[in-house]
Amino acid sequence: VRFLVREERLEPANTALVGDRKHDMLAARENGLIAIGVAYGFGTEAELASAGAWTVARSPTAVLSLFERARLEQGPAAAS
């Protein structure tokens, strides 16, 4: 994760890692990323929450909604 953030010059505070296990959430947090857990994978909501998930989505549609809401909050410049 650290390599990808550095190589792609991502802004950690504006980058999300979506995962289904505690290791994913820990990797996100250790690298300053937004940790989004998904409850439709292998991990449980409790596992993801205790590992520091910012939120836990219960479906792929819920994940898309999070990203869409974030894009809308950034305004028209985010769409270009």
Side-chain angles (χ1 to χ4, degrees):
V1 172
R2 185 172 292 124
F3 175 80
L4 181 62
V5 169
R6 185 178 60 244
E7 287 297 308
E8 295 299 323
R9 297 186 176 127
L10 301 173
E11 288 186 49
N14 293 322
T15 304
L17 189 151
V18 179
D20 66 347
R21 295 303 309 263
K22 69 179 180 180
H23 307 290
D24 301 322
M25 301 303 100
L26 295 173
R29 292 176 50 88
E30 287 174 7
N31 289 283
L33 308 179
I34 302 163
I36 300 176
V38 292
Y40 52 87
F42 289 104
T44 64
E45 286 188 51
E47 173 188 340
L48 296 164
S50 69
W54 170 70
T55 191
V56 178
R58 293 189 174 134
S59 70
T61 303
V63 174
L64 290 174
S65 294
L66 288 169
F67 286 109
E68 179 64 17
R69 189 168 67 226
R71 186 185 67 78
L72 291 174
E73 289 173 0
Q74 290 179 354
S80 28

